[in-house]
Amino acid sequence: MTKKLLKLYLKIAKNEFISLPEGQKIALVFASLAVIFFIGIFSFIVLGISSTLPTDFFNSLFAYALTGVLAFNILFGVPQIFKNLYGASDLAFLFTLPIRTNQLFWVKFIQSLIGLPGLLWIASCVLITVFGVSAQASFLFYPISYITILLITLIGMGVAYLLNLVLIQIIPVNRAKELMTVMTAMAGIIVYVLFQIPNLMQNNIYTDELTVLPEFPSWIPMEWGGRVLSSAIFGTIQILPLSMLILFTVLLLFLSSSLVEKGFRTGWIKMNDGLRNRKKLKSKKNKNRIHSPIVSIGVKEWRAIQRDMREWVTFLPFIFLLVFPVASILNEGKTIDFILSHPNISWMLAQAAFLFMFIFMTAGFTSSSFAREAHAIHLLRILPLSGWQITLGKLWINWLIPVCLLSTLQVIASILLNWNPLATIFGIVIIAIASLGITGIGLWLGAIGAKYDANNPQNRLIGGVSFLLIFLCFSYVIIAMIPTMLVLLPIDSLNLFTDDEFTGLFGLLFTLLKWKAAHSLLFTFIGGFVSVIFSIGIAYFFLLLTVKKINQGINIKFVDKRG
């Protein structure tokens, strides 16, 4: 039965590809060319590393490379596996057939394996082949390396499956739809811990000379794989670490399969039918006030965000980028002492990090605004509201939520790092103003490229518009950074650098800082004025485009629920 199902899925995939519109086929071709291009770039990097790196580094290098493969499989495998286990529409039919749940599970496992993990395995095999050829490795190195990478890939899939099968049994029924958010957070934490294991095992003992990479503990599967590859490159096989790696992979997959009956079938029922049994909340008598249309649009937007925890998944990558480096710094005693003794420097670095982080976060969050309307988008066309009222209503709430998060982080950091209260308020105001422009850009991109997928709510933009969002964010950050940093950077930061240390954009910023040192009040006012005018001007321009699109009519691309 398993073979028949696999053949059936292969035929379905083939027919789906044949029936794709020509535009999507062309997009797949370009995406394939882009993947080949990036593999080529990484191949040149691998060539340089293999020809210059001493053989003493091979063990740690391979361990870190295998950790990257494992981390990639966990991060990107979790949503794919979640969709295959609980989001595929064919399961409603398959569960009615006389097929064992265990057979369905392994079919779904193989289906997941030949997706993104399979592509990653092929790319890793290409790179390890380039490494072997450049390092003049033994012929034995190639099959051993392919098997080792496959085992690490299976371990990553096993971890991703365990996250899905275990958490579906823990999450309450009324929160089952938010399971994806919890799993994303758990996957991010696991990946961070994987890369921090070598540092945590060093017991804060560091040398000034970078003679070796931090080593993984001997009980980590990636270290076993590193030992296997570093010995195979010289034509020998370490039987013990390879056997342990195989045994660990088999045990992890066996543990995943043991949770199939309760985690797969029962979990699918929970995801698809569990919400029907939710208790009705008792209605409360609320005193309703009539707000202005702009305020009402914003409140309605807030209610939609508040109801579904999955809406907050946009913030998770940025929280990881913020929290995990801070956790690493707290593991360094000397670094903590330096930061606490130099509050001006810590404030300056924090503002630069906050500016970069919140511009990207605000853009991604705001661009989901129109897709969030889903099937109710037609109401915007029949309500007695102008395009400006709808746009401004969405603008203020999508700008205010990230600003509130920014303010909270700034206040916490100011207490912990002993910042000047006025400097803290100043940083909040400047970054809040700078984020106005990107909020307008996000609204416009959301209006022209809205997409709604009920099973993947954080994916709210069509592919081309997503790339345009990234490009505009980078461009906005680069341009907005000059006047903003001219206001935020203290004059005494000049003492940290020399006159010829920077060129290009940073050289321009350094020159402006020297002028600010000579005329502090004047250049602070000019930087603040330019920052406000630039941000408000960009916001107004893109709001005009958004209003025009609303008046023309917004179309949302709805993604079907086929598995």
Side-chain angles (χ1 to χ4, degrees):
M1 183 59 70
T2 303
K3 292 182 179 179
K4 292 180 180 179
L5 283 174
L6 289 175
K7 290 181 180 179
L8 177 62
Y9 277 117
L10 184 61
K11 290 181 180 180
I12 292 174
K14 182 179 178 181
N15 292 332
E16 284 182 348
F17 178 78
I18 294 174
S19 61
L20 282 177
E22 292 298 324
Q24 293 188 21
K25 290 181 180 179
I26 294 173
L28 287 175
V29 171
F30 279 107
S32 302
L33 293 176
V35 170
I36 295 173
F37 174 74
F38 281 109
I39 291 177
I41 292 178
F42 281 110
S43 298
F44 281 107
I45 296 174
V46 169
L47 279 173
I49 293 175
S50 61
S51 60
T52 58
L53 198 68
T55 56
D56 295 339
F57 282 80
F58 282 179
N59 193 349
S60 297
L61 175 67
F62 287 136
Y64 276 96
L66 293 176
T67 302
V69 174
L70 180 63
F72 197 97
N73 276 286
I74 293 175
L75 277 178
F76 294 93
V78 164
Q80 180 186 359
I81 291 169
F82 178 82
K83 181 180 179 182
N84 286 339
L85 287 181
Y86 308 118
S89 59
D90 59 348
L91 289 173
F93 173 69
L94 291 174
F95 280 137
T96 62
L97 299 178
I99 305 174
R100 289 185 300 170
T101 307
N102 204 48
Q103 289 179 322
L104 289 178
F105 172 79
W106 286 114
V107 169
K108 291 296 180 180
F109 186 92
I110 297 173
Q111 188 181 11
S112 301
L113 178 62
I114 62 178
L116 193 60
L119 294 176
L120 177 62
W121 177 74
I122 294 173
S124 302
C125 289
V126 172
L127 296 179
I128 202 69
T129 302
V130 172
F131 186 94
V133 172
S134 177
Q136 298 179 350
S138 169
F139 178 78
L140 184 65
F141 172 75
Y142 301 103
I144 292 296
S145 62
Y146 301 155
I147 294 172
T148 302
I149 297 172
L150 178 61
L151 291 174
I152 294 296
T153 301
L154 292 175
I155 290 174
M157 291 188 63
V159 173
Y161 267 95
L162 279 176
L163 279 175
N164 280 276
L165 295 171
V166 172
L167 290 178
I168 191 64
Q169 303 178 53
I170 299 174
I171 301 297
V173 174
N174 62 332
R175 288 294 182 184
K177 293 296 183 181
E178 284 81 5
L179 177 63
M180 190 64 229
T181 305
V182 178
M183 285 192 298
T184 304
M186 292 292 295
I189 293 172
I190 291 173
V191 169
Y192 171 74
V193 171
L194 284 175
F195 281 101
Q196 285 299 314
I197 285 175
N199 293 329
L200 296 174
M201 294 294 107
Q202 293 295 318
N203 295 323
N204 293 331
I205 299 176
Y206 299 94
T207 59
D208 295 332
E209 298 180 359
L210 295 175
T211 54
V212 293
L213 290 171
E215 295 184 356
F216 280 86
S218 58
W219 49 269
I220 297 295
M222 293 79 75
E223 199 275 339
W224 303 338
R227 273 192 282 163
V228 170
L229 295 181
S230 60
S231 62
I233 203 169
F234 301 109
T236 59
I237 302 178
Q238 291 197 19
I239 302 297
L240 181 60
L242 182 59
S243 302
M244 290 192 299
L245 190 61
I246 295 173
L247 181 61
F248 182 79
T249 305
V250 172
L251 288 176
L252 190 63
L253 295 181
F254 174 77
L255 181 61
S256 299
S257 63
S258 65
L259 299 173
V260 166
E261 189 62 38
K262 190 171 183 180
F264 184 20
R265 183 186 291 271
T266 308
W268 180 85
I269 295 172
K270 191 179 196 179
M271 286 293 299
N272 292 274
D273 297 330
L275 294 182
R276 297 176 185 175
N277 299 323
R278 291 181 60 179
K279 295 180 180 180
K280 295 182 179 180
L281 298 176
K282 294 181 179 179
S283 59
K284 298 180 180 179
K285 295 181 179 180
N286 296 321
K287 295 181 179 179
N288 297 320
R289 280 193 306 127
I290 299 177
H291 300 283
S292 69
I294 295 176
V295 174
S296 298
I297 289 289
V299 171
K300 180 193 73 67
E301 191 90 355
W302 164 247
R303 297 301 182 194
I305 297 169
Q306 191 182 32
R307 280 195 301 266
D308 196 345
M309 193 173 69
R310 295 175 296 174
E311 295 286 350
W312 302 93
V313 76
T314 308
F315 298 119
L316 284 178
F318 301 97
I319 298 299
F320 291 150
L321 289 174
L322 181 67
V323 172
F324 291 156
V326 172
S328 300
I329 291 173
L330 293 177
N331 196 38
E332 301 277 348
K334 293 182 179 179
T335 307
I336 295 175
D337 294 337
F338 178 81
I339 290 176
L340 293 178
S341 59
H342 297 81
N344 289 337
I345 295 177
S346 65
W347 180 83
M348 175 184 65
L349 295 176
Q351 303 315 305
F354 283 144
L355 176 65
F356 181 84
M357 182 176 69
F358 275 90
I359 282 179
F360 275 86
M361 186 177 69
T362 303
F365 184 72
T366 307
S367 62
S368 302
S369 180
F370 288 100
R372 194 176 291 124
E373 301 288 342
H375 297 281
I377 189 66
H378 66 279
L379 293 176
L380 293 180
R381 302 172 184 171
I382 61 176
L383 289 175
L385 299 174
S386 66
W388 271 110
Q389 289 175 322
I390 295 173
T391 303
L392 292 177
K394 289 182 173 293
L395 174 72
W396 74 264
I397 190 64
N398 284 280
W399 171 81
L400 182 63
I401 293 174
V403 167
C404 289
L405 180 58
L406 166 67
S407 303
T408 303
L409 293 176
Q410 288 266 28
V411 171
I412 294 174
S414 68
I415 296 173
L416 296 177
L417 302 178
N418 196 27
W419 291 348
N420 188 317
L422 293 178
T424 303
I425 297 173
F426 190 57
I428 294 173
V429 172
I430 292 298
I431 296 177
I433 292 173
S435 64
L436 266 176
I438 202 65
T439 305
I441 294 174
L443 278 178
W444 174 67
L445 292 175
I448 65 172
K451 181 177 73 172
Y452 181 78
D453 185 353
N455 294 324
N456 194 15
Q458 61 270 24
N459 186 11
R460 293 279 174 81
L461 290 177
I462 60 178
V465 178
S466 298
F467 288 111
L468 181 59
L469 174 66
I470 296 173
F471 172 75
L472 290 177
C473 281
F474 273 110
S475 303
Y476 187 85
V477 166
I478 292 173
I479 298 174
M481 182 184 68
I482 297 176
T484 305
M485 288 295 101
L486 184 61
V487 176
L488 293 177
L489 288 179
I491 298 173
D492 55 5
S493 61
L494 285 170
N495 300 328
L496 302 175
F497 312 108
T498 59
D499 290 344
D500 56 351
E501 190 166 349
F502 294 117
T503 58
L505 181 63
F506 289 99
L508 173 62
L509 186 61
F510 181 74
T511 303
L512 292 174
L513 276 177
K514 289 195 296 185
W515 293 349
K516 179 182 177 181
H519 308 282
S520 176
L521 186 61
L522 175 63
F523 273 86
T524 300
F525 174 78
I526 292 175
F529 180 77
V530 172
S531 180
V532 171
I533 293 299
F534 173 74
S535 182
I536 294 178
I538 292 294
Y540 181 73
F541 174 74
F542 282 98
L543 288 179
L544 281 175
L545 297 179
T546 306
V547 171
K548 182 178 179 181
K549 182 62 180 176
I550 290 175
N551 293 333
Q552 292 173 348
I554 294 176
N555 296 314
I556 298 178
K557 178 184 177 182
F558 290 93
V559 179
D560 58 32
K561 298 182 181 180
R562 291 182 301 169

